[in-house]
Amino acid sequence: MLKQQTIHLIKNTIPVLETHGAEITQIFYRRLFQQHPELLNIFNHANQRQGKQQNALANAVYAAAVHIDHLENILPVVKQIAQKHRALQVRPEHYPVVGQTLLDAMKEVLGDAASPEILEAWAEAYGVIADVFINVEKEQYAAAEAAPGGWEGFRRFVIERKVEESCVITSFYLIPEDGLPIASYEPGQYITLRVQPDGQDYKQLRHYSLSAAPGNPYYKISVKREDAASGRPAGTISTWLHDNAVPGTVIEVSAPAGSFVLDGSSDAPLVLISGGVGLTPMVSMLETALNRQPARSVTYIHAAVNGRHHAMKEHIQDLTAKHAQLSSYFIYESPQADEICDQSGYINTDFLQHHTNPNSDFYFCGPQPFMASVYRSLKQLGVTDPRIRYEFFGPAGSLEA
């Protein structure tokens, strides 16, 4: 339990964090990697370059301050972050290093405003929050290892097949090198790959959603090639997978993780909405729902640039033909002359109003602007928050306008 004086001091820093939170986290990461370069083997370098990780940490620190007197309010977020920490193999010994570096960054940015009393209060609060993370992650590590086919740390997998799904998305089928069983997973979860491409100084870790229903002797991931674009460098791992990984290539993998999963206990109509490569967890959920809940009404809506960019189209069409409970729709931003789709342009409120029931359970995934648009439409249609679930690829952001 935190002392009331500590809670009071932390609460008083909320306005400061609103103003200086981003600067504090930028300096935090700079200091962290200067003093502990070995941690570059854990952090996603692309998210660092784009500022996503810094923003996510600033939001997390701010949320901790706001809820410091009721930390149970942020437990769902803690569990979600802990899933990623477990997948990345974050360990208890990392927390003191992070805590001290965060305090040093606060001191550097705030100067005299970061009094000894405030820094002491944050040190006490960080210790309590770190203990929560460590305990949650301890349970998750134990569960991942104890599960049938589970394991600790990273395990060597071999690419069995490599299948081109569209002009930008390729699927990889991974089987364990040791030939032993693999852990099952919940539809919507991801695995974490660890590779060190030639020319890279550090190992690179990336989360990839599993893009098939559980129950197979392999893990299937479907990866979009992220080429360089204006203001954004090419994706190190996605381009390596597309250009260099072939059947027989060995990749290290941590056990499945993630809290964005299909609620199989609900019998409400199910609506799955994806944009681009956001279809990966949606297809896993779709296949699972059709297999396990044959009486449940399911609607699947996918948006792509055009047919060349549309992955797994034939697979979804086959599922729709086989399952009377399933309706599927395709929206193309810029369809080519010979392409047929259900709507050109974008998914909008009118389309969702005509093709979905607001009392459905909605799951969606894709680029952040896409998800923000879907979220706004669902709110306009009166869909309640408990029925809305979504997943960010990378650090969590906000869909609130």
Side-chain angles (χ1 to χ4, degrees), residues 43-124:
F43 284 84
N44 185 312
H45 300 192
N47 289 336
Q48 287 291 320
R49 289 192 299 268
Q50 297 172 33
K52 293 181 179 179
Q53 194 71 58
Q54 293 89 329
N55 290 337
L57 178 60
N59 292 336
V61 172
Y62 178 78
V66 169
H67 298 285
I68 195 66
D69 48 348
H70 295 287
L71 288 176
E72 64 275 11
N73 292 341
I74 63 171
L75 190 57
V77 176
V78 168
K79 290 182 177 180
Q80 181 179 14
I81 297 173
Q83 287 275 351
K84 293 190 175 184
H85 284 181
R86 198 271 295 162
L88 296 170
Q89 301 298 296
V90 172
R91 298 292 180 174
E93 58 266 26
H94 294 134
Y95 282 92
V97 171
V98 168
Q100 185 57 56
T101 307
L102 184 59
L103 293 176
D104 292 342
M106 286 182 173
K107 179 63 177 175
E108 180 176 338
V109 173
L110 302 181
D112 293 339
S115 66
E117 292 78 15
I118 287 177
L119 292 177
E120 183 178 346
W122 266 105
E124 182 184 350

Side-chain angles (χ1 to χ4, degrees), residues 55 141 166-167 178 194 207 273 280 297 338 344 384-385:
N55 290 337
Y141 277 114
S166 76
C167 67
D178 57 22
R194 182 171 72 176
H207 305 305
I273 308 173
T280 51
S297 171
D338 59 342
S344 60
T384 59
D385 282 333

Side-chain angles (χ1 to χ4, degrees), residues 116-243:
E117 292 78 15
I118 287 177
L119 292 177
E120 183 178 346
W122 266 105
E124 182 184 350
Y126 177 83
V128 170
I129 295 169
D131 284 342
V132 173
F133 271 100
I134 290 169
N135 290 329
V136 170
E137 288 159 17
K138 181 180 179 181
E139 294 176 358
Q140 292 181 359
Y141 277 114
E145 185 178 4
W151 67 92
E152 180 183 10
F154 287 89
R155 183 176 173 186
R156 288 165 63 88
F157 277 70
V158 179
I159 296 177
E160 180 191 39
R161 279 182 287 158
K162 180 178 180 179
V163 178
E164 185 176 300
E165 305 282 9
S166 76
C167 67
V168 292
I169 296 174
T170 294
S171 290
F172 300 83
Y173 293 76
L174 311 176
I175 59 174
E177 187 183 49
D178 57 22
L180 297 174
I182 58 175
S184 188
Y185 55 91
E186 293 298 317
Q189 289 192 307
Y190 54 82
I191 55 174
T192 303
L193 275 55
R194 182 171 72 176
V195 297
Q196 188 169 358
D198 292 341
Q200 295 292 321
D201 294 330
Y202 299 97
K203 294 179 179 179
Q204 305 271 336
L205 285 82
R206 295 292 187 276
H207 305 305
Y208 289 109
S209 295
L210 292 152
S211 55
N216 297 299
Y218 55 77
Y219 291 140
K220 177 187 175 185
I221 58 172
S222 302
V223 180
K224 179 186 176 186
R225 181 189 179 99
E226 297 288 355
D227 288 314
S230 57
R232 187 193 70 203
T236 302
I237 302 307
S238 71
T239 55
W240 179 85
L241 285 168
H242 278 251
D243 294 343

Side-chain angles (χ1 to χ4, degrees), residues 17 214 283 303:
L17 292 176
V283 171

